[in-house]
């Protein structure tokens, strides 16, 4: 069994914001896989969709806890289904990457991302794969980082976010079919991978 989690905040007011790129990507993946409709798994505080891929059960999750408490959903879900951290892939926004760029990573610290910090606490390890999705930021932006990740997309930004979400979904499929190393080879740009250093979460 594999579990793929998109990080974001529930509610219409957050739907079209950079901080919900993870939700956007897992929605795209659900469409590609023909997953069952999303259902409310209240005991795990998540929306869940189930699919079968390559003969293996796959769960897609959108935690409904708000970003900072995402681990309160994912940790219990993994334990209930006897899934290991090696079976987990997390799709999330990253302000240290420009919009449209992906980085597939095997694990590592939260790097200031409170959603990842919660996951690490409740899963009990940093050793789970991630697809970092570029949310960008402008040096000296007077809005501040939190305002940036929660701003509503313009129509042009929304189109770019849809394209990035589809690419992240394809990276997740590659992880499922060919493993982490191949996903990194195919989807990581050929330049230095910056360490996360300040993505704030709400």
């Amino acid at each position: 069994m594999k579990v793929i989690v998109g990080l974001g905040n529930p509610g219409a007011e957050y739907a079209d914001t950079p901080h919900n790129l993870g939700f956007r990507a897992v929605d795209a993946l659900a469409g590609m896989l023909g997953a069952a409709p999303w259902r409310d798994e209240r005991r795990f505080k998540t929306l869940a969709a189930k699919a079968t891929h390559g003969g293996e059960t796959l769960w897609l999750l959108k935690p409904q806890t708000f970003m900072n408490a995402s681990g309160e959903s994912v940790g219990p879900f993994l334990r209930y289904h006897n899934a290991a951290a090696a079976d987990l892939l997390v799709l999330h926004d990253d302000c240290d990457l420009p919009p449209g760029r992906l980085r597939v990573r095997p694990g590592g610290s939260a790097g200031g991302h409170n959603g990842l910090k919660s996951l690490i606490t409740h899963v009990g390890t940093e050793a789970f794969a991630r697809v970092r999705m570029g949310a960008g930021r402008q040096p000296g932006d007077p809005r501040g980082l939190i305002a940036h990740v929660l701003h509503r997309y313009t129509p042009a930004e929304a189109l770019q976010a849809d394209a990035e979400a589809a690419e992240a979904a394809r990276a997740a499929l590659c992880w499922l079919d060919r493993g982490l190393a191949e996903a990194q080879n195919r989807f990581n740009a050929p330049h230095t991978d910056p360490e996360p250093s300040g993505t704030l979460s709400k």
Side-chain angles (χ1 to χ4, degrees):
M1 187 183 83
K2 300 294 185 185
V3 180
I4 299 180
V5 178
L7 296 186
N9 285 312
E13 66 269 39
Y14 298 109
D16 288 319
T17 67
H19 219 21
N20 272 36
L21 275 168
F23 277 10
R24 212 177 191 99
V26 82
D27 279 334
L29 181 59
M32 291 177 184
L33 291 168
W38 293 100
R39 66 185 189 192
D40 189 356
E41 293 279 353
R42 293 189 179 182
R43 60 180 165 170
F44 300 116
K45 305 174 187 176
T46 190
L47 296 180
K50 190 176 183 180
T52 300
H53 183 74
E56 186 172 32
T57 298
L58 171 64
W59 284 100
L60 308 179
L61 304 183
K62 294 192 290 186
Q64 299 295 290
T65 55
F66 287 91
M67 181 71 82
N68 289 4
S70 298
E72 295 177 13
S73 168
V74 177
F77 188 93
L78 293 179
R79 287 188 288 275
Y80 179 83
H81 289 280
N82 294 315
D87 301 317
L88 174 65
L89 177 68
V90 178
L91 313 177
H92 68 91
D93 64 299
D94 193 316
C95 286
D96 287 323
L97 293 174
R101 184 167 291 163
L102 304 180
R103 301 296 288 175
V104 181
R105 291 177 59 85
S109 71
H113 193 294
N114 289 335
L116 288 177
K117 189 180 300 182
S118 178
L119 283 172
I120 290 167
T121 296
H122 290 276
V123 174
T125 179
E126 298 179 348
F128 54 85
R130 304 99 188 261
V131 177
R132 296 165 55 195
M133 305 173 63
R137 57 177 160 181
Q138 295 296 322
D141 189 338
R143 294 178 299 185
L145 187 56
I146 292 176
H148 168 69
V149 297
L150 295 179
H151 84 272
R152 189 168 293 277
Y153 284 136
T154 65
E157 288 172 333
L159 286 173
Q160 183 177 45
D162 285 340
E164 184 172 4
E167 188 73 348
R170 287 188 284 270
L173 285 173
C174 185
W175 174 79
L176 286 169
D177 293 336
R178 299 181 179 275
L180 179 68
E182 182 64 20
Q184 290 180 291
N185 288 338
R186 290 193 182 193
F187 292 90
N188 288 0
H191 56 75
T192 302
D193 182 10
E195 282 297 322
S197 61
T199 304
L200 299 181
S201 303
K202 181 174 179 179

